[in-house]
């Protein structure tokens, strides 16, 4: 079964310790802080412990 979660959920599980969540995701604390309010996962998702963020592509011209 896939393990899918989000940074807000991880923060809740880790007593809102940004450094611990960043360590678990191997991400920068600033990234965790920036995504801490993304409760509906519009900009990120965590799948099997790997942080995935949105990308912005270029329009074909």
């Amino acid at each position: 079964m896939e393990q899918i979660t989000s940074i807000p959920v991880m923060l809740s599980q880790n007593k809102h310790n940004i450094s611990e969540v960043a360590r678990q995701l191997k991400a920068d604390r600033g990234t965790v802080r920036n995504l801490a309010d993304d409760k509906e996962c519009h900009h990120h998702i965590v799948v099997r412990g790997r942080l995935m963020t949105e990308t912005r592509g270029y329009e074909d011209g």
Side-chain angles (χ1 to χ4, degrees):
M1 177 177 228
E2 291 286 327
Q3 252 187 327
I4 300 173
T5 190
S6 67
I7 286 177
V9 170
M10 291 181 73
L11 284 167
S12 179
Q13 292 170 342
N14 288 280
K15 301 178 183 174
H16 300 279
N17 186 330
I18 290 173
S19 295
E20 177 59 21
V21 173
R23 185 193 65 74
Q24 289 176 14
L25 295 173
K26 297 178 178 75
D28 188 78
R29 288 179 302 159
T31 300
V32 173
R33 196 171 24 253
N34 288 340
L35 295 170
D37 293 328
D38 187 21
K39 294 178 180 157
E40 297 191 15
C41 297
H42 290 289
H43 304 288
H44 85 289
I45 194 163
V46 178
V47 179
R48 288 183 278 169
R50 179 168 276 189
L51 175 62
M52 299 182 188
T53 59
E54 71 176 340
T55 57
R56 297 181 186 177
Y58 294 98
E59 291 182 15
D60 293 337

